[in-house]
Amino acid sequence: MKKTVILTDDVKNDKERVIARMRVVLNGDGSTPNVMTMGTDSPIGYKDDGTPIFPQIDEELLKQRQQEMMAEAIKEQKQLTEENGGDPAKVNIIGAEKENDKNE
């Protein structure tokens, strides 16, 4: 049986409006997590050339929340990797989980 963990979180602005959603799938394979962030705002208007106008997003808030999500994803991925018999130290280094494949 294979265990997969999916972490999700909403990023809200100071008015409690969801401005982005984050998601990461963890397989316990020793790989570095990849947090996907998707904006949720709809255009508030359009420029003369048809380009959508979106509300301003607090980039610092978004970066902070992405960092928090990544820290939690790394923690969970390490635990799941260890449960699966892998080396949790490899989670911090992108591509390190593939090194065993080359050495075998």
Side-chain angles (χ1 to χ4, degrees):
M1 182 182 302
K2 182 178 176 184
K3 180 178 178 183
T4 301
V5 174
I6 300 172
L7 301 177
T8 61
D9 197 12
D10 290 338
V11 179
K12 296 180 181 180
N13 64 14
D14 56 352
K15 296 176 183 168
E16 292 299 308
R17 182 175 176 198
V18 176
I19 60 170
R21 290 203 162 94
M22 298 180 292
R23 181 176 193 266
V24 62
V25 178
L26 308 172
N27 295 312
D29 59 359
S31 64
T32 304
N34 182 12
V35 177
M36 296 180 359
T37 305
M38 298 156 282
T40 60
D41 274 334
S42 299
I44 57 172
Y46 294 89
K47 296 179 184 177
D48 290 342
D49 66 359
T51 306
I53 301 169
F54 291 96
Q56 290 288 354
I57 294 177
D58 183 346
E59 295 292 332
E60 286 305 311
L61 170 66
L62 189 56
K63 286 179 187 178
Q64 175 188 351
R65 295 299 305 278
Q66 287 173 323
Q67 183 177 349
E68 291 169 3
M69 179 73 152
M70 186 61 159
E72 184 63 26
I74 287 170
K75 178 181 137 188
E76 293 289 330
Q77 181 73 322
K78 283 184 170 190
Q79 181 179 349
L80 191 54
T81 297
E82 192 168 17
E83 286 177 22
N84 289 339
D87 181 359
K90 293 185 176 193
V91 172
N92 295 87
I93 308 300
I94 296 171
E97 77 282 2
K98 296 175 185 172
E99 288 178 13
N100 280 349
D101 296 338
K102 294 176 187 174
N103 295 332
E104 291 179 358

